[in-house]
Amino acid sequence: MTRDNTAVLLIDHQTGLFTGVRDIGVAELKHNVVGLARAAQILGLPIVAATTARDSMWGPTIPELREVLGDVEIRDRSTVNAWDDEAFVAKVRETGRDHLILAGLSFEVCGSLPAISAQADGYQPVVAIDACGTFSHHKREAGLARLTVLDE
């Protein structure tokens, strides 16, 4: 993983989803995801960001992250797994990077499922678990269990 072969994927860090996070403190989670985005920018890593149903159910990207992302396009989608959205995957391919750092809400869906799908497509994903959150410790454990396939 280097500056030249890595991209960062930020998935569903939305105001409505943050209200249900229970496995990590919301302030800590915001700090971590904003820090990941800032680090990516400093290192010159491309960022691909997405939301789900931002105009209805889950709301916009949290303001702290939106501010840091500046003019980075945030793709809104209707798929559960971001990797099932062709336009999202096209944006990832456009980066020309094969190593991916992913973070998402909720972790067991928006963090682990795209990582598993990306690996199946030949990418080398890593999930930044400290920049992910979910709605219970049981869901966090489910996400971690799903990621065990990345080690195989």
Side-chain angles (χ1 to χ4, degrees), residues 96-110:
R97 311 299 176 97
D98 65 347
H99 287 68
L100 307 175
I101 299 171
L102 294 93
L105 292 183
S106 67
F107 162 60
E108 76 282 0
V109 175
C110 299

Side-chain angles (χ1 to χ4, degrees), residues 107-124:
F107 162 60
E108 76 282 0
V109 175
C110 299
S112 63
L113 294 182
I116 293 165
S117 297
Q119 184 184 46
D121 282 351
Y123 290 86
Q124 296 184 46

